Structures are given as C-alpha cells and as structure tokens.
Amino acid sequence: MNYKLYIVLISLALLFSCKQSVKTAQIEGKWLYQKVEFLRQNPVIVREGEELEADKPYIIFEKSGKAKIMSSGKILSEGAFVLDGDIIRYEEILPDGQKRAIPFLIIEIDEKHLIFESMDQDTKRITAIKN
C-alpha cells in the first residue's frame, strides 16, 4: 500500500513541476484592462465596467522587449520587460532617468486573456483581453 502511495505522490510532483513557462510571443501585443483589483485594500477595491472603461487603460508588450502602460490617452509608465518563467520582470524608466523594477506574476494566460498581479506592497490584479 505504501508503494502505491509513493508512486501517486511522485506522479503528482512531476505533474506540478512540468508547468510550461510563458513565451514572449504569448504576451506580445496590446492588452485592454477589463478589471483591476486592489488586493491589499480592506475591503478589496475593484474597478471594472463603465468606471474602468472611461480611462481606457491598457498595457502594450512589444516584440522588442519594450512596454508601455496607458490610461486616459496618456503614458503612465514605460520601460522594458523580460520573461522569467511566469514572471514579467518590468523595469520602468522614471522621468529623472532612474529605473524601478516592478515584477508581475502571470496568474493565467491564453490567446485572448491575461491575468497578472503586481508583486509589490500595493498588489493589484489585472484582468485583460488582447486587442
């Protein structure tokens, strides 16, 4: 009986360790925000629907490794990114030329949907669709 349990546990460990890394081609393009959740707020603040649509926020990941975060027709942030497994390592270039690292954890991705979270003290979860 212990032998069977051991085999099952090893099989499960292998299954969970085989998670595929996200490829740059999967995130390239323009992603329109559908929902923004401020997870560290109590209660959690959620912006979606008409409230979010008014600002038309989105993020663009370019093939060149550059990225831009836009809202209300203005650039909120721009910089460069690289993928590290399921983490987008974004480096924002600040107006004074300094740089700030902002990692994003990819929660879910497919051809049309992306859910990711900022990995900082003001954690935000963003649900987006590809344009």
Side-chain angles (χ1 to χ4, degrees):
M1 185 65 165
N2 287 336
Y3 180 73
K4 289 180 183 178
L5 179 61
Y6 179 73
I7 296 295
V8 169
L9 291 175
I10 293 293
S11 299
L12 287 172
L14 287 172
L15 177 68
F16 287 114
S17 69
C18 292
K19 182 179 177 188
Q20 295 292 320
S21 292
V22 176
K23 307 282 188 257
T24 302
Q26 288 178 273
I27 67 165
E28 287 175 4
K30 182 177 179 179
W31 295 90
L32 307 173
Y33 291 15
Q34 300 299 296
K35 181 172 26 172
V36 178
E37 300 167 86
F38 297 85
L39 301 178
R40 299 279 178 162
Q41 301 296 317
N42 190 10
V44 171
I45 297 171
V46 178
R47 291 188 63 216
E48 62 185 329
E50 289 180 15
E51 179 185 8
L52 192 60
E53 239 176 74
D55 294 332
K56 295 182 173 76
Y58 60 90
I59 189 167
I60 297 174
F61 295 106
E62 297 177 4
K63 190 174 197 164
S64 66
K66 295 185 183 210
K68 263 186 225 179
I69 301 172
M70 306 286 294
S71 184
S72 300
K74 298 177 186 168
I75 298 172
L76 295 182
S77 176
E78 59 185 324
F81 75 95
V82 294
L83 281 174
D84 180 7
D86 58 354
I87 297 174
I88 302 167
R89 298 206 178 274
Y90 176 62
E91 188 172 64
E92 176 182 39
I93 301 170
L94 301 170
D96 64 1
Q98 291 190 11
K99 296 178 181 179
R100 177 173 63 162
I102 306 172
F104 297 111
L105 175 64
I106 298 172
I107 306 297
E108 187 177 312
I109 188 167
D110 63 29
E111 302 80 34
K112 295 288 181 185
H113 299 91
L114 171 63
I115 300 173
F116 62 102
E117 288 181 5
S118 61
M119 298 171 67
D120 58 11
Q121 66 188 30
D122 185 30
T123 307
K124 291 179 236 25
R125 179 178 294 151
I126 296 152
T127 301
I129 58 170
K130 197 162 197 176
N131 185 329

